[in-house]
Tab-separated table of all heavy atoms in Angstrom:
chain	number	residue	atom	x	y	z
A	128	LYS	N	2.707	-20.346	2.142
A	128	LYS	CA	2.606	-19.128	1.346
A	128	LYS	C	1.423	-18.396	1.937
A	128	LYS	O	0.365	-18.900	2.249
A	128	LYS	CB	2.287	-19.369	-0.088
A	128	LYS	CG	3.653	-20.051	-0.765
A	128	LYS	CD	3.340	-20.234	-2.161
A	128	LYS	CE	4.599	-20.903	-2.992
A	128	LYS	NZ	4.341	-21.014	-4.289
A	129	ALA	N	1.490	-17.077	1.947
A	129	ALA	CA	0.429	-16.265	2.525
A	129	ALA	C	-0.765	-16.308	1.603
A	129	ALA	O	-1.967	-16.292	2.122
A	129	ALA	CB	0.949	-14.778	2.743
A	130	ASN	N	-0.517	-16.323	0.381
A	130	ASN	CA	-1.685	-16.364	-0.534
A	130	ASN	C	-1.075	-17.191	-1.781
A	130	ASN	O	0.145	-17.272	-1.950
A	130	ASN	CB	-2.021	-14.871	-1.141
A	130	ASN	CG	-2.669	-14.123	0.013
A	130	ASN	OD1	-3.708	-14.443	0.540
A	130	ASN	ND2	-1.854	-13.047	0.434
A	131	LYS	N	-2.017	-17.717	-2.599
A	131	LYS	CA	-1.670	-18.353	-3.880
A	131	LYS	C	-1.003	-17.243	-4.783
A	131	LYS	O	-1.563	-16.247	-5.023
A	131	LYS	CB	-2.742	-18.948	-4.505
A	131	LYS	CG	-3.341	-20.183	-3.769
A	131	LYS	CD	-4.400	-20.884	-4.621
A	131	LYS	CE	-4.919	-22.131	-3.739
A	131	LYS	NZ	-5.977	-22.751	-4.507
A	132	ARG	N	0.200	-17.536	-5.201
A	132	ARG	CA	0.883	-16.592	-6.134
A	132	ARG	C	0.136	-16.449	-7.420
A	132	ARG	O	-0.484	-17.382	-8.081
A	132	ARG	CB	2.274	-17.131	-6.464
A	132	ARG	CG	3.168	-15.890	-6.817
A	132	ARG	CD	4.672	-16.459	-6.791
A	132	ARG	NE	4.966	-16.989	-5.482
A	132	ARG	CZ	5.379	-16.265	-4.430
A	132	ARG	NH1	5.314	-14.921	-4.445
A	132	ARG	NH2	5.728	-16.834	-3.308
A	133	CYS	N	0.049	-15.143	-7.867
A	133	CYS	CA	-0.622	-14.911	-9.158
A	133	CYS	C	0.138	-15.287	-10.304
A	133	CYS	O	1.273	-14.801	-10.502
A	133	CYS	CB	-0.904	-13.315	-9.187
A	133	CYS	SG	-1.725	-12.781	-10.664
A	134	ASP	N	-0.427	-16.296	-11.082
A	134	ASP	CA	0.287	-16.819	-12.268
A	134	ASP	C	-0.355	-16.473	-13.572
A	134	ASP	O	0.226	-16.609	-14.650
A	134	ASP	CB	0.370	-18.269	-12.215
A	134	ASP	CG	1.261	-18.784	-11.012
A	134	ASP	OD1	2.229	-18.158	-10.689
A	134	ASP	OD2	0.826	-19.768	-10.264
A	135	LYS	N	-1.568	-15.853	-13.536
A	135	LYS	CA	-2.192	-15.472	-14.806
A	135	LYS	C	-1.659	-14.233	-15.313
A	135	LYS	O	-1.523	-13.205	-14.659
A	135	LYS	CB	-3.719	-15.272	-14.488
A	135	LYS	CG	-4.367	-16.641	-14.112
A	135	LYS	CD	-5.830	-16.359	-13.925
A	135	LYS	CE	-6.610	-17.715	-13.569
A	135	LYS	NZ	-8.042	-17.545	-13.436
A	136	ILE	N	-1.103	-14.149	-16.572
A	136	ILE	CA	-0.439	-13.025	-17.185
A	136	ILE	C	-1.382	-11.866	-17.290
A	136	ILE	O	-0.940	-10.728	-16.798
A	136	ILE	CB	0.115	-13.471	-18.525
A	136	ILE	CG1	1.150	-14.647	-18.474
A	136	ILE	CG2	0.706	-12.228	-19.185
A	136	ILE	CD1	2.277	-14.311	-17.684
A	137	GLN	N	-2.641	-11.998	-17.720
A	137	GLN	CA	-3.477	-10.854	-17.829
A	137	GLN	C	-3.768	-10.263	-16.460
A	137	GLN	O	-3.855	-8.946	-16.406
A	137	GLN	CB	-4.868	-11.320	-18.538
A	137	GLN	CG	-4.696	-11.788	-19.933
A	137	GLN	CD	-4.010	-10.659	-20.848
A	137	GLN	OE1	-4.366	-9.530	-20.744
A	137	GLN	NE2	-3.086	-10.971	-21.639
A	138	LEU	N	-3.952	-11.073	-15.456
A	138	LEU	CA	-4.200	-10.517	-14.046
A	138	LEU	C	-3.054	-9.795	-13.575
A	138	LEU	O	-2.998	-8.716	-13.000
A	138	LEU	CB	-4.551	-11.608	-13.221
A	138	LEU	CG	-4.959	-11.202	-11.743
A	138	LEU	CD1	-6.121	-10.226	-11.725
A	138	LEU	CD2	-5.300	-12.495	-10.956
A	139	LYS	N	-1.716	-10.253	-13.926
A	139	LYS	CA	-0.483	-9.619	-13.470
A	139	LYS	C	-0.423	-8.254	-14.243
A	139	LYS	O	0.056	-7.202	-13.586
A	139	LYS	CB	0.599	-10.477	-13.916
A	139	LYS	CG	1.109	-11.630	-12.888
A	139	LYS	CD	2.360	-12.180	-13.376
A	139	LYS	CE	2.781	-13.384	-12.435
A	139	LYS	NZ	4.089	-13.877	-12.822
A	140	LYS	N	-0.807	-8.268	-15.320
A	140	LYS	CA	-0.708	-6.910	-16.229
A	140	LYS	C	-1.593	-5.824	-15.690
A	140	LYS	O	-1.212	-4.735	-15.371
A	140	LYS	CB	-1.025	-7.126	-17.612
A	140	LYS	CG	-0.071	-7.978	-18.424
A	140	LYS	CD	-0.454	-8.152	-19.844
A	140	LYS	CE	0.565	-8.994	-20.636
A	140	LYS	NZ	0.051	-9.272	-22.086
A	141	LEU	N	-2.892	-6.353	-15.288
A	141	LEU	CA	-3.900	-5.339	-14.710
A	141	LEU	C	-3.546	-4.850	-13.314
A	141	LEU	O	-3.481	-3.799	-13.074
A	141	LEU	CB	-5.158	-5.971	-14.769
A	141	LEU	CG	-6.330	-5.118	-14.123
A	141	LEU	CD1	-6.591	-3.784	-14.844
A	141	LEU	CD2	-7.619	-5.903	-14.091
A	142	SER	N	-3.091	-5.901	-12.547
A	142	SER	CA	-2.693	-5.477	-11.162
A	142	SER	C	-1.483	-4.620	-11.100
A	142	SER	O	-1.348	-3.711	-10.348
A	142	SER	CB	-2.587	-6.713	-10.284
A	142	SER	OG	-1.531	-7.549	-10.854
A	143	SER	N	-0.486	-4.949	-11.962
A	143	SER	CA	0.666	-4.131	-12.059
A	143	SER	C	0.412	-2.682	-12.554
A	143	SER	O	0.948	-1.673	-12.048
A	143	SER	CB	1.734	-4.726	-12.939
A	143	SER	OG	2.132	-6.005	-12.557
A	144	PHE	N	-0.457	-2.541	-13.493
A	144	PHE	CA	-0.909	-1.196	-14.018
A	144	PHE	C	-1.542	-0.395	-12.844
A	144	PHE	O	-1.199	0.824	-12.660
A	144	PHE	CB	-1.846	-1.353	-15.101
A	144	PHE	CG	-2.410	-0.012	-15.654
A	144	PHE	CD1	-1.772	0.653	-16.612
A	144	PHE	CD2	-3.683	0.419	-15.263
A	144	PHE	CE1	-2.210	1.856	-17.065
A	144	PHE	CE2	-4.224	1.577	-15.673
A	144	PHE	CZ	-3.497	2.244	-16.559
A	145	LEU	N	-2.487	-0.991	-12.202
A	145	LEU	CA	-3.075	-0.226	-11.010
A	145	LEU	C	-2.139	-0.056	-9.919
A	145	LEU	O	-2.245	1.111	-9.266
A	145	LEU	CB	-4.237	-1.109	-10.526
A	145	LEU	CG	-5.466	-1.439	-11.468
A	145	LEU	CD1	-6.467	-2.424	-10.902
A	145	LEU	CD2	-6.067	-0.165	-11.869
A	146	MET	N	-1.279	-0.916	-9.570
A	146	MET	CA	-0.221	-0.688	-8.607
A	146	MET	C	0.712	0.513	-8.889
A	146	MET	O	0.922	1.337	-8.004
A	146	MET	CB	0.564	-1.880	-8.268
A	146	MET	CG	1.492	-1.808	-7.062
A	146	MET	SD	0.826	-1.333	-5.469
A	146	MET	CE	-0.298	-2.757	-5.325
A	147	GLY	N	1.095	0.503	-10.188
A	147	GLY	CA	1.999	1.563	-10.606
A	147	GLY	C	1.292	3.008	-10.472
A	147	GLY	O	1.813	4.002	-10.093
A	148	ALA	N	-0.120	3.024	-10.845
A	148	ALA	CA	-0.809	4.336	-10.675
A	148	ALA	C	-0.867	4.667	-9.277
A	148	ALA	O	-0.728	5.856	-8.866
A	148	ALA	CB	-2.193	4.009	-11.345
A	149	LEU	N	-1.146	3.758	-8.299
A	149	LEU	CA	-1.402	3.998	-6.995
A	149	LEU	C	-0.022	4.570	-6.312
A	149	LEU	O	-0.043	5.632	-5.607
A	149	LEU	CB	-1.748	2.846	-6.148
A	149	LEU	CG	-1.898	2.874	-4.649
A	149	LEU	CD1	-2.836	3.953	-4.115
A	149	LEU	CD2	-2.173	1.479	-3.938
A	150	ILE	N	1.061	3.803	-6.595
A	150	ILE	CA	2.415	4.252	-6.106
A	150	ILE	C	2.853	5.637	-6.509
A	150	ILE	O	3.334	6.400	-5.756
A	150	ILE	CB	3.461	3.163	-6.363
A	150	ILE	CG1	3.073	1.924	-5.611
A	150	ILE	CG2	4.826	3.711	-6.044
A	150	ILE	CD1	3.987	0.661	-6.069
A	151	SER	N	2.651	5.919	-7.808
A	151	SER	CA	3.028	7.196	-8.343
A	151	SER	C	2.212	8.323	-7.615
A	151	SER	O	2.872	9.307	-7.199
A	151	SER	CB	2.714	7.289	-9.799
A	151	SER	OG	2.931	8.528	-10.343
A	152	PHE	N	1.076	8.093	-7.382
A	152	PHE	CA	0.140	9.090	-6.701
A	152	PHE	C	0.665	9.326	-5.261
A	152	PHE	O	0.844	10.464	-4.780
A	152	PHE	CB	-1.329	8.563	-6.604
A	152	PHE	CG	-2.318	9.685	-6.171
A	152	PHE	CD1	-2.715	10.613	-7.073
A	152	PHE	CD2	-2.772	9.673	-4.878
A	152	PHE	CE1	-3.700	11.667	-6.696
A	152	PHE	CE2	-3.626	10.730	-4.517
A	152	PHE	CZ	-4.040	11.607	-5.461
A	153	LEU	N	0.943	8.216	-4.467
A	153	LEU	CA	1.471	8.295	-3.139
A	153	LEU	C	2.792	8.959	-3.007
A	153	LEU	O	3.109	9.763	-2.085
A	153	LEU	CB	1.591	6.800	-2.401
A	153	LEU	CG	0.076	6.170	-2.318
A	153	LEU	CD1	0.417	4.811	-1.819
A	153	LEU	CD2	-0.727	6.957	-1.280
A	154	ILE	N	3.710	8.623	-3.947
A	154	ILE	CA	5.037	9.148	-3.868
A	154	ILE	C	5.062	10.745	-4.024
A	154	ILE	O	5.771	11.472	-3.380
A	154	ILE	CB	5.878	8.518	-4.907
A	154	ILE	CG1	6.354	7.137	-4.515
A	154	ILE	CG2	7.158	9.444	-5.227
A	154	ILE	CD1	7.208	6.424	-5.574
A	155	ASN	N	4.164	11.271	-4.891
A	155	ASN	CA	4.056	12.640	-5.064
A	155	ASN	C	3.586	13.439	-3.779
A	155	ASN	O	3.832	14.620	-3.733
A	155	ASN	CB	3.152	13.018	-6.266
A	155	ASN	CG	3.880	12.774	-7.656
A	155	ASN	OD1	4.706	13.720	-8.075
A	155	ASN	ND2	3.655	11.650	-8.282
A	156	PHE	N	2.755	12.695	-2.967
A	156	PHE	CA	2.372	13.389	-1.774
A	156	PHE	C	3.296	13.162	-0.531
A	156	PHE	O	3.396	13.973	0.218
A	156	PHE	CB	0.987	12.839	-1.432
A	156	PHE	CG	-0.109	13.460	-2.203
A	156	PHE	CD1	-0.631	12.741	-3.348
A	156	PHE	CD2	-0.672	14.687	-1.860
A	156	PHE	CE1	-1.627	13.385	-4.207
A	156	PHE	CE2	-1.678	15.256	-2.589
A	156	PHE	CZ	-2.147	14.675	-3.774
A	157	THR	N	3.797	11.901	-0.485
A	157	THR	CA	4.557	11.521	0.705
A	157	THR	C	5.986	11.244	0.492
A	157	THR	O	6.762	11.005	1.462
A	157	THR	CB	3.862	10.397	1.489
A	157	THR	OG1	4.005	9.269	0.720
A	157	THR	CG2	2.350	10.751	1.711
A	158	SER	N	6.444	10.851	-0.704
A	158	SER	CA	7.746	10.329	-1.119
A	158	SER	C	7.799	8.862	-0.766
A	158	SER	O	8.768	8.219	-1.099
A	158	SER	CB	8.774	11.151	-0.478
A	158	SER	OG	9.082	10.709	0.850
A	159	ILE	N	6.725	8.296	-0.231
A	159	ILE	CA	6.713	6.957	0.329
A	159	ILE	C	6.002	6.092	-0.635
A	159	ILE	O	4.782	6.428	-1.026
A	159	ILE	CB	6.216	6.840	1.761
A	159	ILE	CG1	7.140	7.569	2.677
A	159	ILE	CG2	6.028	5.354	2.120
A	159	ILE	CD1	6.630	7.806	4.098
A	160	GLY	N	6.396	4.852	-0.853
A	160	GLY	CA	5.671	3.872	-1.643
A	160	GLY	C	6.404	3.133	-2.762
A	160	GLY	O	5.995	2.031	-3.177
A	161	GLY	N	7.475	3.755	-3.284
A	161	GLY	CA	8.263	3.141	-4.350
A	161	GLY	C	8.742	1.780	-4.011
A	161	GLY	O	8.834	0.840	-4.863
A	162	GLY	N	9.138	1.466	-2.839
A	162	GLY	CA	9.543	0.109	-2.385
A	162	GLY	C	8.649	-0.446	-1.309
A	162	GLY	O	8.302	-1.489	-1.426
A	163	SER	N	8.354	0.372	-0.343
A	163	SER	CA	7.495	-0.143	0.834
A	163	SER	C	6.185	-0.617	0.434
A	163	SER	O	5.735	-1.562	1.031
A	163	SER	CB	7.522	0.874	1.959
A	163	SER	OG	6.929	2.087	1.450
A	164	ILE	N	5.547	-0.050	-0.522
A	164	ILE	CA	4.120	-0.495	-1.023
A	164	ILE	C	4.370	-1.546	-2.081
A	164	ILE	O	3.625	-2.416	-2.169
A	164	ILE	CB	3.408	0.630	-1.496
A	164	ILE	CG1	3.126	1.732	-0.326
A	164	ILE	CG2	2.026	0.187	-1.991
A	164	ILE	CD1	2.426	1.222	0.899
A	165	LEU	N	5.275	-1.348	-2.993
A	165	LEU	CA	5.535	-2.145	-4.123
A	165	LEU	C	6.090	-3.549	-3.708
A	165	LEU	O	5.587	-4.555	-4.238
A	165	LEU	CB	6.422	-1.469	-5.074
A	165	LEU	CG	6.748	-2.323	-6.402
A	165	LEU	CD1	5.561	-2.706	-7.117
A	165	LEU	CD2	7.700	-1.610	-7.303
A	166	MET	N	6.982	-3.644	-2.768
A	166	MET	CA	7.506	-4.955	-2.486
A	166	MET	C	6.532	-6.059	-1.912
A	166	MET	O	6.597	-7.240	-2.373
A	166	MET	CB	8.686	-4.652	-1.415
A	166	MET	CG	9.968	-4.215	-1.949
A	166	MET	SD	10.570	-5.381	-3.299
A	166	MET	CE	10.903	-6.878	-2.337
A	167	PRO	N	5.549	-5.624	-1.033
A	167	PRO	CA	4.658	-6.596	-0.745
A	167	PRO	C	3.755	-7.129	-1.854
A	167	PRO	O	3.446	-8.292	-1.936
A	167	PRO	CB	3.703	-5.878	0.343
A	167	PRO	CG	4.537	-4.879	0.925
A	167	PRO	CD	5.473	-4.352	-0.257
A	168	TYR	N	3.489	-6.228	-2.805
A	168	TYR	CA	2.819	-6.740	-3.987
A	168	TYR	C	3.625	-7.651	-4.852
A	168	TYR	O	3.217	-8.653	-5.300
A	168	TYR	CB	2.457	-5.499	-4.843
A	168	TYR	CG	2.044	-5.831	-6.303
A	168	TYR	CD1	0.818	-6.348	-6.575
A	168	TYR	CD2	2.893	-5.579	-7.334
A	168	TYR	CE1	0.424	-6.694	-7.864
A	168	TYR	CE2	2.484	-5.960	-8.565
A	168	TYR	CZ	1.347	-6.546	-8.839
A	168	TYR	OH	0.928	-6.856	-10.216
A	169	LEU	N	5.006	-7.259	-5.051
A	169	LEU	CA	5.789	-8.083	-5.889
A	169	LEU	C	6.012	-9.540	-5.146
A	169	LEU	O	6.192	-10.520	-5.817
A	169	LEU	CB	7.143	-7.448	-6.011
A	169	LEU	CG	7.194	-6.205	-6.862
A	169	LEU	CD1	8.634	-5.658	-6.980
A	169	LEU	CD2	6.580	-6.488	-8.220
A	170	MET	N	5.892	-9.567	-3.858
A	170	MET	CA	6.068	-10.813	-3.155
A	170	MET	C	4.922	-11.729	-3.587
A	170	MET	O	4.934	-12.952	-3.375
A	170	MET	CB	6.000	-10.531	-1.660
A	170	MET	CG	7.356	-9.960	-1.224
A	170	MET	SD	7.339	-9.565	0.611
A	170	MET	CE	7.403	-11.200	1.379
A	171	LYS	N	3.732	-11.241	-4.010
A	171	LYS	CA	2.640	-12.019	-4.436
A	171	LYS	C	2.716	-12.374	-5.789
A	171	LYS	O	1.995	-13.479	-6.307
A	171	LYS	CB	1.334	-11.162	-4.227
A	171	LYS	CG	0.958	-10.921	-2.810
A	171	LYS	CD	-0.417	-10.264	-2.691
A	171	LYS	CE	-0.779	-9.981	-1.205
A	171	LYS	NZ	-2.173	-9.459	-1.179
A	172	VAL	N	3.372	-11.748	-6.645
A	172	VAL	CA	3.516	-12.056	-8.184
A	172	VAL	C	4.766	-12.699	-8.532
A	172	VAL	O	5.006	-13.063	-9.795
A	172	VAL	CB	3.014	-10.810	-8.965
A	172	VAL	CG1	1.622	-10.413	-8.638
A	172	VAL	CG2	3.905	-9.742	-8.745
A	173	MET	N	5.741	-12.717	-7.686
A	173	MET	CA	7.177	-13.161	-7.993
A	173	MET	C	7.643	-14.196	-7.156
A	173	MET	O	7.217	-14.211	-5.930
A	173	MET	CB	8.201	-12.018	-8.196
A	173	MET	CG	7.892	-11.048	-9.253
A	173	MET	SD	9.150	-9.659	-9.265
A	173	MET	CE	8.581	-8.689	-10.471
A	174	ASP	N	8.636	-15.077	-7.597
A	174	ASP	CA	9.182	-16.015	-6.680
A	174	ASP	C	10.482	-15.691	-6.187
A	174	ASP	O	10.869	-16.030	-5.065
A	174	ASP	CB	9.280	-17.453	-7.369
A	174	ASP	CG	7.794	-18.134	-7.550
A	174	ASP	OD1	7.106	-18.191	-6.636
A	174	ASP	OD2	7.529	-18.405	-8.742
A	175	ASN	N	11.265	-15.045	-7.067
A	175	ASN	CA	12.639	-14.640	-6.847
A	175	ASN	C	12.853	-13.320	-6.063
A	175	ASN	O	12.469	-12.367	-6.663
A	175	ASN	CB	13.521	-14.720	-8.185
A	175	ASN	CG	14.962	-14.667	-7.982
A	175	ASN	OD1	15.397	-13.942	-7.007
A	175	ASN	ND2	15.763	-15.204	-8.841
A	176	PRO	N	13.267	-13.408	-4.870
A	176	PRO	CA	13.483	-12.101	-4.183
A	176	PRO	C	14.405	-11.142	-4.759
A	176	PRO	O	14.321	-9.892	-4.597
A	176	PRO	CB	13.921	-12.485	-2.695
A	176	PRO	CG	14.488	-13.804	-2.949
A	176	PRO	CD	13.734	-14.533	-3.986
A	177	ARG	N	15.400	-11.615	-5.526
A	177	ARG	CA	16.347	-10.713	-6.150
A	177	ARG	C	15.657	-10.028	-7.324
A	177	ARG	O	15.922	-8.743	-7.475
A	177	ARG	CB	17.569	-11.454	-6.634
A	177	ARG	CG	18.388	-12.044	-5.460
A	177	ARG	CD	19.467	-13.095	-5.874
A	177	ARG	NE	20.260	-13.594	-4.797
A	177	ARG	CZ	19.741	-14.619	-4.038
A	177	ARG	NH1	18.728	-15.248	-4.404
A	177	ARG	NH2	20.410	-15.112	-3.013
A	178	ILE	N	14.829	-10.725	-8.056
A	178	ILE	CA	14.093	-9.972	-9.114
A	178	ILE	C	13.049	-8.969	-8.526
A	178	ILE	O	12.875	-7.915	-9.062
A	178	ILE	CB	13.243	-11.090	-9.931
A	178	ILE	CG1	14.202	-12.219	-10.457
A	178	ILE	CG2	12.495	-10.397	-11.012
A	178	ILE	CD1	15.197	-11.647	-11.474
Side-chain angles (χ1 to χ4, degrees):
K128 293 183 179 179
N130 295 293
K131 291 184 179 179
R132 205 168 301 282
C133 175
D134 294 321
K135 294 182 179 180
I136 298 299
Q137 294 302 321
L138 186 57
K139 279 187 178 182
K140 291 179 180 179
L141 176 60
S142 60
S143 297
F144 176 83
L145 295 175
M146 183 59 62
L149 172 64
I150 290 172
S151 174
F152 192 82
L153 292 176
I154 284 179
N155 279 281
F156 281 96
T157 67
S158 81
I159 296 169
S163 56
I164 301 297
L165 182 58
M166 283 302 295
Y168 165 74
L169 294 180
M170 291 174 74
K171 291 186 177 182
V172 298
M173 295 181 183
D174 289 308
N175 190 327
R177 296 173 182 83
I178 303 295

